[in-house]
């Protein structure tokens, strides 16, 4: 008897096994700060530099002992299904008097034209800009370049990788009983369910037209022998300090637009300068307002009149936002139409 006990203990000991599982995870933490600059010209968009550092950390959990499972299959259990379901579908039709079919009509509001000068004598002229007329700033408009301004955003990101070691040991034997199941379909009764779906038809169809406004574009190329110095005249409202780029020490974001507005973005990089973009709007008949932005674009906005062509009406509104610095958000100015400042946007 004593020898049998020793033999059983020897067999049980041989079942014990050890293993280590590995789980990987990571955590990312980052922060950004803004550097300030002074003098020179304020960058319309803030350059951003990013750095990333990666470290790893290994964590070993306490060893967990689990039982070794032995599955035993017994006689199957059979379940009999005794009821079937019959489904009947019906359609209920509702007739409405009139349906509207919309058609889209294209309306060309105007043609935006921008000049492009090609010097035939290989001269690259320097330009002197003069301003005509007068301009009254809106209340609170920023008309001077701040002494200091955001110049760069610096972002640092840290990534920590975690390697978690999970050692386990198996010992002992646990028996798990598995009972197979099966289903026999032996239908003795039938249940019927009825469903109705609604369909809608229209007695008549009315056709209506909605107008989509668009712009045409044109480049006027002038080939000429250029002088060493050229003089160009801008409207006073287009002077760099008069194009609206800040109110009450905050930069601008867009607000609402006229329902029948349309915009053309000028692809010529020369007009990415807000002052030049502003003057281009003054030079194009029917341009209601202009909008330039930190990504370097020039947009001329028009309002489509009901009778066709452009209308010199309200075209868009703009607001200030607390986290936008003056001269580093939108630049806006009116053309022949109306643009409205509606105050802070609450951010």
């Amino acid at each position: 008897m004593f020898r049998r006990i020793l033999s059983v203990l020897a067999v049980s000991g041989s079942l014990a096994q050890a293993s280590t599982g590995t789980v990987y995870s990571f955590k990312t933490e980052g922060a950004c700060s803004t550097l300030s600059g002074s003098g020179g010209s304020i960058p319309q968009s803030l350059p951003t530099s990013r750095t990333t550092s990666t470290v790893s950390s290994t964590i070993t959990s306490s060893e967990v002992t689990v039982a070794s499972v032995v599955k035993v299959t017994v006689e199957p259990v059979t379940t009999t299904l005794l009821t079937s379901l019959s489904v009947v579908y019906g359609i209920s039709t509702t007739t409405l008097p009139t349906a509207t079919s919309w058609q889209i009509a294209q309306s060309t509001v105007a043609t935006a034209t921008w000049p492009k000068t090609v010097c035939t004598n290989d001269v690259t002229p320097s330009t002197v800009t003069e301003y005509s007329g007068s301009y009254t700033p809106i209340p609170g408009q920023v008309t001077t370049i701040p002494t200091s301004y955001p110049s760069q955003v610096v972002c640092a990101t840290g990534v920590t990788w975690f390697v978690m070691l999970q050692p386990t040991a198996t010992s002992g034997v646990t028996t798990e009983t598995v009972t197979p199941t099966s289903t026999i379909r032996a239908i003795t009764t039938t249940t019927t369910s009825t469903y109705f779906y609604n369909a809608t038809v229209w007695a008549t169809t009315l056709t209506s037209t909605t107008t989509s406004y668009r712009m045409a574009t044109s480049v006027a190329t002038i080939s000429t022998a250029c002088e060493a110095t050229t003089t160009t005249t801008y409207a006073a409202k287009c002077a760099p300090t008069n194009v609206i780029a800040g109110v009450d020490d905050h930069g601008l974001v867009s607000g609402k637009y006229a329902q029948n507005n349309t915009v053309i973005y000028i692809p010529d990089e020369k007009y990415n300068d807000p002052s030049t973009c502003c003057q281009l709007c003054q030079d194009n008949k029917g341009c209601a307002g202009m909008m330039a932005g930190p990504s370097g674009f020039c947009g001329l906005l028009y309002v489509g009149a009901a009778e066709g062509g452009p209308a010199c009406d309200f075209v868009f509104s703009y607001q200030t936002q607390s986290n936008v610095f003056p001269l580093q958000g939108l630049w806006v100015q009116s053309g022949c139409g109306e643009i409205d400042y509606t105050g802070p946007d609450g951010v």
Side-chain angles (χ1 to χ4, degrees), residues 39-131:
S41 59
I42 296 179
Q44 288 188 43
S45 60
L46 289 180
T48 301
S49 65
R50 302 181 184 275
T51 58
T52 301
S53 59
T54 302
V55 296
S56 61
S57 176
T58 302
I59 302 173
T60 302
S61 302
S62 300
E63 185 177 84
V64 177
T65 301
V66 296
S68 178
V69 179
V70 176
K71 293 185 178 182
V72 177
T73 302
V74 299
E75 292 296 325
V77 175
T78 300
T79 302
T80 302
L81 182 65
L82 300 176
T83 302
S84 69
L85 175 65
S86 174
V87 180
V88 177
Y89 296 95
I91 299 178
S92 175
T93 302
T94 301
T95 301
L96 299 180
T98 304
T100 302
S101 175
W102 291 96
Q103 295 180 346
I104 298 177
Q106 297 285 340
S107 175
T108 300
V109 176
T111 299
T113 302
W114 58 95
K116 184 175 183 179
T117 301
V118 177
C119 295
T120 59
N121 54 349
D122 294 329
V123 172
T124 302
S126 60
T127 302
V128 176
T129 303
E130 298 178 347
Y131 300 94

Side-chain angles (χ1 to χ4, degrees), residues 154-171:
V154 178
C155 296
T157 302
V159 180
T160 303
W161 280 94
F162 296 96
V163 181
M164 182 172 291
L165 304 179
Q166 297 176 326
T168 60
T170 58
S171 63

Side-chain angles (χ1 to χ4, degrees), residues 12 15 19 71 82 100 130 138 173 187 208 213 222 225 233 263 316 324 335:
S12 299
L15 293 176
S19 63
K71 293 185 178 182
L82 300 176
T100 302
E130 298 178 347
I138 67 170
V173 176
I187 299 172
S208 294
Y213 296 94
I222 303 171
T233 302
V263 60
F316 67 83
V324 177

Side-chain angles (χ1 to χ4, degrees), residues 35-47 142-152 240-241 245-246 272-274 293-294 324-329 331:
L35 304 181
S36 296
S38 61
S41 59
I42 296 179
Q44 288 188 43
S45 60
L46 289 180
V142 177
T143 57
T144 58
I145 297 177
T147 55
S148 63
Y149 47 83
S151 60
Q152 186 181 17
T241 55
N272 289 350
D273 170 33
V324 177
F325 196 77
L327 285 70
Q328 291 183 332
W331 295 61

Side-chain angles (χ1 to χ4, degrees), residues 8-34:
V8 170
L9 290 177
V11 172
S12 299
S14 66
L15 293 176
Q17 296 181 352
S19 63
T20 300
T22 305
V23 177
Y24 300 92
S25 64
F26 68 91
K27 180 174 67 174
T28 301
E29 295 178 324
C32 295
S33 60
T34 302

